[in-house]
Amino acid sequence: MNPQPTTEQAEFIIIGKDTGGSFTLWDVCPAPADPVRRAVMLEEAGVDVHDAMGELLIERAATAHDAVRQALGVLRERAGLPHYSYRDGRSSGAAPVPVRQPAGEGEPYGQASVRGATKDGVFRVTATALPGVPSFSVRGLAERSTPETRDRVRAGVINNGWRWPMCSVLADVTPLGEGGHAAGVAGASALDLAIACTVLAAAGQLSGPWLDGALMVGELGLDGAVRVPRDLPGAVRALVAPGAVTVLVPAAGVSDASLAGARAIGVRSLNETADVLAGHRHHPAGCAHCRHSAAPHEPCAPSALCSACQEKRRAQ
């Protein structure tokens, strides 16, 4: 008798929202094989999920789909209900359960930066992903606002379906212009979106060139939604003063941002922000490179061509 083929199983981490009668999937990913990395991931994920009032489950299965199916069985039995509903909260795409491939032996390391603003002025936000024990530090904000910023950004990233980088992450907020100072407690949340995007780009989950020329103002909710921060018009005016053309703002604040003198693009979530950046929609309408090439590039400003367009012109 021929032996039955065996299917290799892996351990999957599943997080979502259990209401007692239904489950909304937030994320599913393979657990690291290395025990130290596994322990760190579970500790950090546990904190984030607890903050978002979610549920963390661990299942061994052949695929992410099977792991989620098994987890639903556990939750259904615990609830004691014959009909326990399920919803994929990560996307409205065709795949009922998004399958994530295991990360390689090393995490991507890099740096990314973007400009943001609060009611107190314009800031350069730079994130750096470095080898080391997984951690997340934010430097340059007022001391009281730093822990809240870290919590919002990390929870918003994870709950919008992104994988938090398993490395040492440092976000640095630097004032631009004269008279700049650390973002105040009341205004620091306006930099959440910029911090989240630079962290994902530094860790290789967003393409770095997507951020070229990007300007953004927005607070992140724990669910990854982009919210209107305090004094949005004031923050937008600070960005427009040096000649900014386009600013990414919360969708609910587009009218206020437009009245402040900017071409405003409204985004409702971190995922929608990534779509805008990927499509170079934040670039000026007259960007020659956008019209003739889909390659990542610096944006052309009204007063100067981007470096790619300059090279092309010199070659002609």
Side-chain angles (χ1 to χ4, degrees):
M1 183 174 63
N2 294 330
Q4 294 293 323
T6 59
T7 301
E8 186 176 354
Q9 292 191 335
E11 190 176 56
F12 288 88
I13 300 173
I14 302 159
I15 60 174
K17 180 71 172 180
D18 174 30
T19 64
S22 66
F23 181 73
T24 299
L25 179 68
W26 288 343
D27 198 6
V28 54
C29 64
D34 180 77
V36 175
R37 288 165 55 88
R38 178 185 181 276
V40 172
M41 175 181 278
L42 287 176
E43 180 180 357
E44 291 208 344
V47 172
D48 293 330
V49 172
H50 179 268
D51 290 344
M53 302 184 69
E55 183 92 8
L56 186 149
L57 301 166
I58 300 174
E59 294 288 339
R60 291 194 66 84
T63 66
H65 182 89
D66 292 341
V68 173
R69 190 186 301 275
Q70 291 172 196
L72 288 174
V74 173
L75 294 171
R76 185 178 294 112
E77 182 177 353
R78 186 174 71 184
L81 299 173
H83 302 291
Y84 186 87
S85 61
Y86 161 75
R87 185 175 75 87
D88 178 8
R90 290 192 54 197
S91 69
S92 57
V97 178
V99 179
R100 295 197 172 200
Q101 298 299 322
E105 289 299 320
E107 295 288 338
Y109 308 115
Q111 187 178 84
S113 64
V114 73
R115 270 194 295 165
T118 73
K119 65 183 184 63
D120 296 318
V122 181
F123 297 85
R124 170 72 64 184
V125 178
T126 302
T128 306
L130 300 168
V133 176
S135 61
F136 180 34
S137 302
V138 180
R139 187 171 58 192
L141 299 182
E143 185 176 352
R144 286 177 53 196
S145 62
T146 300
E148 297 176 0
T149 298
R150 285 202 311 261
D151 291 345
R152 284 193 306 269
V153 169
R154 186 156 50 184
V157 165
I158 292 175
N159 293 337
N160 235 209
W162 300 87
R163 180 172 54 85
W164 187 260
M166 293 298 295
C167 55
S168 176
V169 178
L170 171 64
D172 193 53
V173 178
T174 306
L176 297 177
E178 297 181 1
H181 53 85
V185 175
S189 64
L191 298 172
D192 289 354
L193 184 60
I195 293 173
C197 288
T198 53
V199 167
L200 291 174
Q205 296 191 60
L206 281 181
S207 174
W210 290 359
L211 296 183
D212 287 344
L215 306 161
M216 52 186 70
V217 179
E219 177 181 319
L220 274 185
L222 295 180
D223 58 354
V226 182
R227 299 174 176 172
V228 177
R230 179 173 297 188
D231 195 6
L232 174 63
V236 172
R237 279 193 294 270
L239 279 172
V240 171
V245 176
T246 305
V247 182
L248 275 66
V249 299
V254 169
S255 297
D256 289 340
S258 299
L259 290 175
R263 172 185 170 232
I265 296 180
V267 291
R268 290 182 291 269
S269 67
L270 186 56
N271 284 340
E272 193 168 324
T273 303
D275 291 340
V276 169
L277 295 172
H280 305 309
R281 286 165 48 200
H282 58 296
H283 289 174
C287 178
H289 201 61
C290 277
R291 295 201 305 268
H292 302 297
S293 174
H297 64 286
E298 304 166 37
C300 296
S303 59
L305 295 175
C306 69
S307 58
C309 288
Q310 291 175 16
E311 289 292 333
K312 184 177 180 180
R313 174 170 291 185
R314 282 194 289 266
Q316 291 175 344

